[in-house]
Amino acid sequence: MAERKPIESWLTDMDGVLIHEGTPIPGAKEFLRKLRESGKPFLVLTNNSIYTPRDLSARLAGMGLEVPEECIWTSALATAKFLKSQRPNGTAYVIGEAGLTTALYQAGYVLTDNNPDYVVLGETRTYSFEALTKAIRLINQGARFICTNPDETGPSTEGVLPATGSVAALITKATGVEPYFVGKPNPLMMREALNTAGAHSETAVMIGDRMDTDIVAGMEAGMETVLVLTGLTSAADVERFPYRPSRVVKSIADLVELV
């Protein structure tokens, strides 16, 4: 591969890289400490739109991981920033939790079911038939369809849960309208994260555990990419893809000395 410039900024996925099922992955605490001490820009990214950065910072702190809220970038924040750039001071009918509604409020959006500019679908533990029916009717009436992320399922202690991508498919089936997905693997989320951190793709790295979201999004955004094997992708899985990460490591612990 072509020689890259030294790493000046770090972006990392959260689930499967720093934590697994609510437990820190060995090396995550040391890695985050080195990042904070280095003074280099860094962001923890997640496609989960349920929580605000403050919520996530508190949840991580409860696991012993110190990540300031300004260093957390969610698909909800990326969606709000995208919509603000597309249609400032717009209106939206939202299916989602506080992470998404708060981000849209802060972006200057009015949340309404009265002729909204957009229907915005995010993640929630309580998808209701009534809300989905309203979303379908609003889209049929001309509202544009936006989704925070394409993840089809999410984890829970009882097993997988339907997530944004699955519910979006239901709405598409009923309306014939495909949504625009803002979160990973859309490189838009990466570029907005880089802009937020004041970073440049030529000197930034993306760390992830999924080839089909983290790695491809980082690659398409022009960043160096690192795959860790503590999440959903195994070493054997890498060969199935037509693209490769810049490097593959066993876990985040292998990157501590590179910060």
Side-chain angles (χ1 to χ4, degrees), residues 208-215 227-241 248-249:
D209 71 310
R210 292 186 59 161
M211 289 289 291
D212 59 346
T213 55
D214 307 314
I215 301 305
L227 177 74
V228 296
L229 301 178
T230 48
L232 293 177
T233 304
S234 69
D237 291 334
V238 176
E239 300 303 324
R240 295 174 44 242
F241 291 86
V248 180
V249 298

Side-chain angles (χ1 to χ4, degrees), residues 71-233:
C71 294
I72 296 175
W73 187 249
T74 71
S75 64
L77 292 175
T79 298
K81 187 172 182 180
F82 170 72
L83 292 182
K84 183 177 182 179
S85 71
Q86 292 286 302
R87 192 174 291 264
N89 302 312
T91 58
Y93 175 68
V94 179
I95 298 176
E97 301 282 350
L100 181 55
T101 56
T102 300
L104 287 168
Y105 272 128
Q106 291 174 344
Y109 259 63
V110 172
L111 307 189
T112 179
D113 61 359
N114 181 22
N115 193 30
D117 297 318
Y118 297 95
V119 166
V120 183
L121 176 66
E123 202 139 1
T124 174
R125 301 295 192 210
T126 56
Y127 289 110
S128 78
F129 185 79
E130 180 183 359
L132 296 177
T133 300
K134 184 167 290 187
I136 289 166
R137 291 173 178 168
L138 290 171
I139 291 169
N140 282 336
Q141 291 165 14
R144 302 150 190 87
F145 187 17
I146 298 286
C147 285
T148 55
N149 64 285
D151 299 47
E152 295 170 351
T153 60
S156 78
T157 54
E158 294 82 23
V160 297
L161 295 170
T164 314
S166 296
V167 179
L170 183 155
I171 294 174
T172 294
K173 194 72 172 177
T175 61
V177 176
E178 295 281 349
Y180 181 69
F181 293 105
V182 176
K184 298 178 293 182
N186 189 342
L188 175 71
M189 181 167 171
M190 298 297 185
R191 288 195 291 268
E192 289 183 347
L194 288 169
N195 290 339
T196 297
H200 194 284
S201 60
E202 287 186 354
T203 55
V205 62
M206 175 64 198
I207 309 165
D209 71 310
R210 292 186 59 161
M211 289 289 291
D212 59 346
T213 55
D214 307 314
I215 301 305
V216 71
M219 179 191 71
E220 291 182 353
M223 289 185 281
E224 183 174 346
T225 55
V226 179
L227 177 74
V228 296
L229 301 178
T230 48
L232 293 177
T233 304

